[in-house]
Amino acid sequence: EAAVAVVEVGSAQQFEELLRLKTKSLLVVHFWAPWAPQCVQMNDVMAELAKEHPHVSFVKLEAEAVPEVSEKYEISSVPTFLFFKNSQKVDRLDGAHAPELTKKVQRHVSSGAFPPSTNEHLKEDLSLRLKKLTHAAPCMLFMKGTPQEPRCGFSKQMVEILHKHNIQFSSFDIFSDEEVRQGLKTYSNWPTYPQLYVSGELIGGLDIIKELEASEELDTICPKAPKLEERLKVLTNKASVMLFMKGNKQEAKCGFSKQILEILNSTGVEYETFDILEDEEVRQGLKTFSNWPTYPQLYVRGDLVGGLDIVKELKDNGELLPILKGEN
């Protein structure tokens, strides 16, 4: 019996038959596609789980080859795992989350029967968790997948709109947590994803965001990421004397930066430094902002004085100190 590997199901009829036959045990069905590498990987995980749990039936079903079954259970992406007991669907997991799949199998095996979630205490905890999640950032997006790898077209479009408007947001992958995925629909009284929240309040799904974009209200509702130019203005004015360099006061990371530090230290004037090696955006942006291609760059009261050569020259002419003190 232990040698039974993952069963491949090729038709709706075969699937129905399996549901009827396997009423006593847990049945785990992997809706997969041969073109998706993460599915192939999850098939290996299933094979391992099948060895560990000889009394659980593991089945793989090619989602696009058996569309009747996929449509019936609303399979919209692969991999998706459904759990059946007594011919009833008792659980679901979307995405290639191997640890989560292992956990769910263990939970269903040990629980004998899946406890109904009428437990008030559980509901209480969930609604508290959802409240925290929706308030986790000023702008929160609940989506399928991640901004880097959206796993549905609507989530992808939503991320594109937010990026286009330079809106700063955090996101939550609902595929990683079935409890949140189901709970949030009730919590917000909104049945689909993606969902966008601002200050913990639901704004809506993709259609509403598109409408807000068209009416130009989106920019007033969502918090913006500070634009690079504004950031550079703030940075160059952070101290009355600001040095943008490679490294910092304690350790210069290039000869020119080291020389300019020695000159500044010899004047006794207070100054602050910014390490451009730590921030690629500032490093590139400042060249354009100040129209100066190299580092170090010295600013006094937000105005560029220049690089090492100019600072050397000013020092030799005796003009450096008055400039640093803002007397010029």
Side-chain angles (χ1 to χ4, degrees):
E1 161 88 357
V4 175
V6 178
V7 181
E8 175 112 38
V9 168
S11 70
Q13 187 188 350
Q14 194 187 350
F15 183 72
E16 294 302 327
E17 229 160 79
L18 205 65
L19 277 186
R20 272 203 308 279
L21 284 171
K22 299 286 182 187
T23 48
K24 298 287 172 278
S25 63
L26 174 67
L27 175 65
V28 182
V29 185
H30 176 198
F31 289 83
W32 75 297
W35 48 261
Q38 63 272 37
C39 288
V40 179
Q41 184 192 330
M42 290 307 281
N43 278 335
D44 296 342
V45 174
M46 293 251 295
E48 284 304 310
L49 286 171
K51 284 182 206 159
E52 273 171 59
H53 303 279
H55 301 300
V56 178
S57 306
F58 290 93
V59 171
K60 56 184 204 177
L61 185 150
E62 200 180 313
E64 289 160 6
V66 193
E68 310 92 302
V69 179
S70 298
E71 277 160 28
K72 181 177 176 185
Y73 294 104
E74 297 175 356
I75 307 297
S76 56
S77 65
V78 291
T80 295
F81 299 86
L82 297 185
F83 297 73
F84 293 90
K85 267 188 184 164
N86 305 323
S87 311
Q88 294 297 313
K89 186 182 105 180
V90 291
D91 205 351
R92 169 180 189 134
L93 172 69
D94 286 87
H97 299 280
E100 193 60 29
L101 180 66
T102 309
K103 238 190 311 198
K104 279 184 186 284
V105 170
Q106 282 162 347
R107 201 184 315 152
H108 289 294
V109 168
S110 61
S111 67
F114 194 61
S117 62
T118 46
N119 191 329
E120 284 308 314
H121 169 68
L122 270 175
K123 279 188 184 164
E124 183 52 39
D125 282 354
L126 178 61
S127 99
L128 196 68
R129 211 180 139 215
L130 292 173
K131 189 176 177 183
K132 274 191 187 150
L133 273 176
T134 51
H135 285 84
C139 188
M140 270 303 287
L141 177 64
F142 292 81
M143 63 179 289
K144 295 181 177 180
T146 61
Q148 294 71 41
E149 272 184 49
R151 293 203 19 236
C152 86
F154 299 133
S155 292
K156 185 168 182 286
Q157 287 182 53
M158 180 76 106
V159 168
E160 282 166 0
I161 291 173
L162 294 176
H163 283 325
K164 187 169 93 190
H165 287 261
N166 197 32
I167 288 162
Q168 213 165 14
F169 68 97
S170 294
S171 68
F172 184 91
D173 179 1
I174 56 151
F175 279 162
S176 67
D177 193 315
E178 184 63 14
E179 191 186 37
V180 169
R181 177 185 184 163
Q182 297 308 335
L184 197 61
K185 294 178 186 177
T186 317
Y187 178 86
S188 60
N189 200 4
W190 192 271
T192 57
Y193 292 99
Q195 295 182 13
L196 188 69
Y197 290 75
V198 173
S199 314
E201 296 288 322
L202 174 70
I203 303 297
L206 180 63
D207 291 341
I208 288 182
I209 300 308
K210 282 183 169 169
E211 278 169 33
L212 288 171
E213 183 186 32
S215 65
E216 296 184 358
E217 289 169 78
L218 186 62
D219 293 328
T220 56
I221 292 172
C222 297
K224 302 285 260 184
K227 287 225 166 62
L228 179 59
E229 195 159 326
E230 286 159 27
R231 218 183 132 210
L232 294 174
K233 226 177 236 153
V234 169
L235 273 177
T236 50
N237 284 283
K238 198 174 156 209
S240 59
V241 179
M242 271 301 289
L243 177 66
F244 291 81
M245 63 177 288
K246 294 181 180 177
N248 54 37
K249 270 188 195 182
Q250 289 69 45
E251 189 198 357
K253 293 203 171 133
C254 87
F256 300 134
S257 291
K258 188 167 179 286
Q259 287 181 53
I260 208 164
L261 281 182
E262 286 164 1
I263 294 173
L264 286 176
N265 290 340
S266 72
T267 64
V269 171
E270 288 206 2
Y271 65 97
E272 277 198 35
T273 63
F274 183 94
D275 182 357
I276 54 146
L277 298 176
E278 295 284 307
D279 193 318
E280 191 56 26
E281 191 186 39
V282 169
R283 179 182 185 164
Q284 297 309 332
L286 196 61
K287 294 180 187 177
T288 318
F289 179 82
S290 60
N291 199 7
W292 192 269
T294 58
Y295 291 98
Q297 293 183 16
L298 182 69
Y299 288 75
V300 174
R301 303 196 174 170
D303 288 329
L304 175 70
V305 175
L308 177 63
D309 291 342
I310 289 180
V311 170
K312 271 186 180 164
E313 214 171 288
L314 291 171
K315 183 184 179 233
D316 295 344
N317 300 346
E319 291 171 46
L320 184 61
L321 199 57
I323 283 178
L324 292 180
K325 289 184 170 168
E327 290 165 10
N328 273 28

